[in-house]
Amino acid sequence: MENLIGLLVAAPLLGAAVLLCGGRRLDRAGHWIGTALAVASFVVGAVLFADMLGRDGEDRALHQRLFSWVPVEGFQADVAFQLDQLSMTFVLLITGVGSLIHIYSIGYMEHDERRRRFFGYLNLFLAAMLLLVLADNYLLLYAGWEGVGLASYLLIGFWQHKPSAATAAKKAFIVNRVGDLGLSIAIMLMFTTFGTFAFEPVLASAGETSEGMLTAIGLMLLLAACGKSAQVPLQSWLGDAMEGPTPVSALIHAATMVTAGVYLIVRSGAIFNGSPDAQLVVAIVGAVTLLFGAIVGSAKDDIKKALAGSTMSQIGYMVLAAGLGPIGYVFAIMHLVTHGFFKAGLFLGAGSVMHGMNDEVDMRKYGGLRKYMPVTFVTFGLGYLAIIGFPGLSGFWSKDKIIEAAFAKGGTEGWILGGVALLGAAITAYYMTRVMLLTFFGEKRWAPTPSPDAPDVEPAAETAGDHTMPHPHESPKSMTIPMIVLAFGSVFAGGLFSWNSSFLHWLEPVTGHDHGHSPLSAAAVTGATVVVLLLGVLVAWLQYGRKPVPATAPRGSLLTRAARRDLLQDDFNHVVLVKPGEYLTRGLVYVDNKGVDGVVNGTAAAVGGLSGRMRRMQNGFVRSYAVSMFGGTAVLIAATLLMRAV
């Protein structure tokens, strides 16, 4: 079975190579090729999963070494894969949800002239993420890490004719380079400390290393995770990334890029376990981000950006859980998987709404769509109930476990982290209920929209001058079937994982687990979570369910205005990073022009001036040379006579 591991990466990588290098002759079949190879990777993963289930818990890890990547004495790097319970969980999520998004994209991108290239980029994204989670060493993980960054840049900026999309792609790329610097430094520290960067020896030796070194490595790994998973302070790229096609948003937010940081922290658990300080910083970053993203999502009228804020917040829950150490590792991954189902379903549902609304994203221009898009309404609604933690659905099982684990941390830290997690649950219920009410309930608020070449505008749509009136309609089956499958996951995944603690037992051999000492019973935490959930729903209904929704958002409070501007994160970056960077650049340019170039140009000018003056002595006239010879002779005679006299 070990020989099959490489096929997981090879199938989508082959698809990317064929689709991106095959040319226009593959335009008609490119989407089918890309989808087939994504599904093929999922099938291989399912076969390996079935084989893994037949093994004992301690004997489930598989290894495959392909070749020596850097065969240098004292610096050995292999292209080798490690498939254990943790990486298998990600393999099934990436290939399963990724395949559904490929199928959805067949209908969503039907009229796009560059559809073949789009599917090539999707395949590249899957291959890079699979390489990341299957690598058996940090250097190979870094290669997948950078591949994910490249693929996200290509997909976010896919509609490059839009300046906003091109800018968003560059922003995501640059912000992630900051995080990538942290990962590269961490790998260097590992090599100088352990003499290797392979998982097994590094993690096995972590307990024998000084706490200071583990803290340094852990903080650098956290910096990397903040970049990929859009955690404070490297979160600013995520909202702008919505400029890409909606399937890209679903893939980034549900199955690939933003999950990479959580995987990195959990995989490196032994390092964080040896550094309580680094572990605490991880928990604080997660707690801050889950509130940050929830507040931003509460103020957005753009349906995709509201869901982007939600992703930031939900990843914050996962990072918070990972910062709890063995108490929370399993629940961080559990919430990551359940989130993969309901967040992918929510984004695909948002794309379905846009498909029927002439690509309109402003929820204030929706209303009453449940009558026109029943399948989208039901599937989106199930995802909504799952994410807010409605009892019995997947989010209820995973998010409640994180809140319990936060309280189980104990002491003041546990009360603070648990309280923040509860507050985040209330805000989640508020902003997601707001999305549901603005989109599917109330009176229709549709307005004529400009009608450029939008591929989703139906010929039968009513027209008003140069504008097109939206004509809501249900999406084709290629889009609704993946949404239905994801809705089943939104409903049942959490319960299946929690049944008889099956998911805990599955991951425990890799991540370990500690029950902690919670001051509250599980029933008390569940009761508190349900109460705050209902409060969030009630506040949203009082604000948006009972009153007409104005076409233009009211000015709102200071916090609301700040949240609409992403809590001033771009303003902060501009003042703290961009402006000082501009001044530094100008200063360096001045030093270069006046200092370095001044010395070089001054030296050249001096040599040139001296040469010009010396050139006058070589004028070609015999009389000038005779005078020079006479003068030289006179000087020599005078010097000789003077020396004799002395």
Side-chain angles (χ1 to χ4, degrees):
M1 281 296 175
E2 292 88 347
N3 295 332
L4 294 179
I5 300 176
L7 294 178
L8 292 168
V9 181
L13 189 60
L14 174 64
V18 169
L19 295 178
L20 296 177
C21 301
R24 293 189 175 278
R25 65 178 66 89
L26 296 177
D27 281 355
R28 292 186 177 181
H31 51 289
W32 295 113
I33 295 173
T35 302
L37 288 170
V39 173
S41 185
F42 173 72
V43 171
V44 173
V47 171
L48 289 168
F49 176 63
D51 175 72
M52 188 175 286
L53 287 177
R55 300 169 180 260
D56 294 333
E58 303 297 333
D59 190 38
R60 284 174 171 167
L62 301 176
H63 297 268
Q64 181 184 20
R65 181 182 179 277
L66 297 184
F67 57 88
S68 180
W69 181 14
V70 185
V72 178
E73 185 176 357
F75 187 87
Q76 296 290 327
D78 294 334
V79 174
F81 300 132
Q82 172 179 308
L83 185 67
D84 55 19
Q85 293 92 317
L86 179 60
S87 50
M88 174 57 77
T89 301
F90 277 83
V91 164
L92 294 177
L93 176 68
I94 295 164
T95 58
V97 175
S99 296
L100 292 173
I101 292 172
H102 275 69
I103 295 170
Y104 177 94
S105 300
I106 293 173
Y108 191 87
M109 301 295 289
E110 181 179 4
H111 300 286
D112 196 293
E113 295 179 353
R114 300 166 65 236
R115 181 165 63 165
R116 169 185 53 83
R117 181 173 297 183
F118 179 79
F119 276 83
Y121 292 160
L122 287 184
N123 274 193
L124 179 63
F125 211 154
L126 291 191
M129 189 65 191
L130 287 167
L131 178 64
L132 190 159
V133 300
L134 287 170
D136 85 333
N137 63 80
Y138 284 96
L139 192 63
L140 187 60
L141 179 150
Y142 187 76
W145 193 272
E146 292 301 318
V148 169
L150 170 63
S152 66
Y153 169 78
L154 296 171
L155 286 167
I156 293 170
F158 183 74
W159 286 329
Q160 56 197 237
H161 59 276
K162 296 166 55 180
S164 57
T167 301
K170 288 187 288 185
K171 185 176 183 180
F173 191 83
I174 292 170
V175 172
N176 272 274
R177 298 290 74 72
V178 178
D180 295 352
L181 179 64
L183 182 55
S184 63
I185 294 174
I187 293 173
M188 295 176 197
L189 291 175
M190 288 177 193
F191 187 76
T192 57
T193 304
F194 304 106
T196 180
F197 28 70
F199 289 154
E200 287 190 1
V202 168
L203 300 179
S205 304
E208 306 167 4
T209 308
S210 69
E211 185 176 320
M213 178 55 69
L214 292 179
T215 299
I217 296 174
L219 292 178
M220 289 300 99
L221 292 174
L222 174 60
L223 179 63
C226 286
K228 277 291 184 285
S229 295
Q231 299 294 285
V232 172
L234 299 179
Q235 79 287 1
S236 61
W237 65 270
L238 191 64
D240 293 338
M242 298 303 98
E243 292 294 335
T246 299
V248 174
S249 303
L251 192 60
I252 289 177
H253 288 245
T256 55
M257 189 167 180
V258 296
T259 66
V262 181
Y263 170 79
L264 180 65
I265 295 172
V266 174
R267 173 63 75 185
S268 308
I271 293 173
F272 288 96
N273 293 342
S275 173
D277 291 338
Q279 204 169 67
L280 178 60
V281 175
V282 172
I284 292 172
V285 167
V288 170
T289 307
L290 78 86
L291 290 181
F292 189 104
I295 293 170
V296 169
S298 299
K300 294 295 186 182
D301 291 329
D302 183 320
I303 187 171
K304 289 175 66 177
K305 290 192 175 182
L307 294 178
S310 167
T311 297
M312 193 186 306
S313 179
Q314 298 304 309
I315 299 293
Y317 270 106
M318 301 170 206
V319 173
L320 167 60
L324 300 174
I327 300 174
Y329 288 145
V330 171
F331 304 130
I333 302 301
M334 182 177 175
H335 193 55
L336 185 150
V337 176
T338 59
H339 177 264
F341 283 109
F342 57 68
K343 184 51 61 67
L346 289 169
F347 266 109
L348 297 188
S352 180
V353 170
M354 293 166 58
H355 179 87
M357 293 294 290
N358 294 355
D359 284 335
E360 178 62 67
V361 295
D362 188 348
M363 293 184 291
R364 292 183 179 274
K365 298 178 181 177
Y366 293 165
L369 292 180
R370 69 185 188 280
K371 302 174 185 176
Y372 303 91
M373 310 178 73
V375 176
T376 301
F377 167 64
V378 172
T379 55
F380 193 98
L382 291 173
Y384 152 73
L385 292 174
I387 194 174
I388 68 172
F390 188 84
L393 274 70
S394 60
F396 167 80
W397 299 105
S398 57
K399 191 186 297 182
D400 271 28
K401 288 296 184 182
I402 292 177
I403 297 173
E404 287 180 31
F407 281 111
K409 181 70 173 176
T412 306
E413 291 177 15
W415 282 104
I416 293 175
L417 295 175
V420 168
L422 269 179
L423 178 59
I427 304 175
T428 300
Y430 168 79
Y431 69 72
M432 286 306 304
T433 302
R434 175 178 180 268
V435 170
M436 283 296 295
L437 293 174
L438 288 176
T439 304
F440 295 103
F441 292 90
E443 299 297 324
K444 63 179 185 180
R445 302 179 299 276
W446 314 331
T449 56
S451 54
D453 325 321
D456 299 325
V457 177
E458 288 204 339
E462 306 170 35
T463 59
D466 294 329
H467 291 68
T468 302
M469 181 66 73
H471 187 72
H473 56 283
E474 192 56 87
S475 300
K477 289 184 178 179
S478 63
M479 295 171 64
T480 56
I481 290 176
M483 291 159 55
I484 293 170
V485 174
L486 291 168
F488 272 97
S490 299
V491 174
F492 298 111
L496 291 175
F497 292 159
S498 298
W499 180 73
N500 202 26
S501 300
S502 57
F503 197 71
L504 190 156
H505 296 318
W506 167 257
L507 281 183
E508 191 172 7
V510 180
T511 63
H513 183 65
D514 181 0
H515 291 284
H517 304 285
S518 177
L520 300 175
S521 66
V525 173
T526 299
T529 305
V530 172
V531 169
V532 299
L533 181 158
L534 295 175
L535 285 174
V537 171
L538 177 62
V539 172
W541 181 77
L542 291 174
Q543 190 171 354
Y544 296 97
R546 294 196 314 162
K547 306 173 184 177
V549 177
T552 303
R555 190 164 185 266
S557 65
L558 180 62
L559 178 60
T560 300
R561 297 198 299 273
R564 287 180 187 141
R565 296 179 60 180
D566 300 321
L567 291 180
L568 308 180
Q569 59 184 357
D570 286 332
D571 303 80
F572 176 84
N573 290 340
H574 189 76
V575 171
V576 176
L577 300 174
V578 176
K579 295 304 291 185
E582 289 179 355
Y583 292 135
L584 176 62
T585 302
R586 291 172 186 170
L588 292 175
V589 169
Y590 180 84
V591 171
D592 183 60
N593 289 339
K594 302 298 183 181
V596 179
D597 287 353
V599 171
V600 174
N601 295 336
T603 302
V607 173
L610 180 61
S611 300
R613 286 168 175 77
M614 294 181 65
R615 187 169 60 245
R616 297 175 184 174
M617 301 173 61
Q618 304 294 326
N619 54 20
F621 294 113
V622 175
R623 59 179 179 272
S624 298
Y625 298 155
V627 170
S628 299
M629 294 170 66
F630 177 77
T633 302
V635 169
L636 289 173
I637 292 173
T640 302
L641 293 175
L642 180 61
M643 291 178 65
R644 286 184 176 181
V646 172

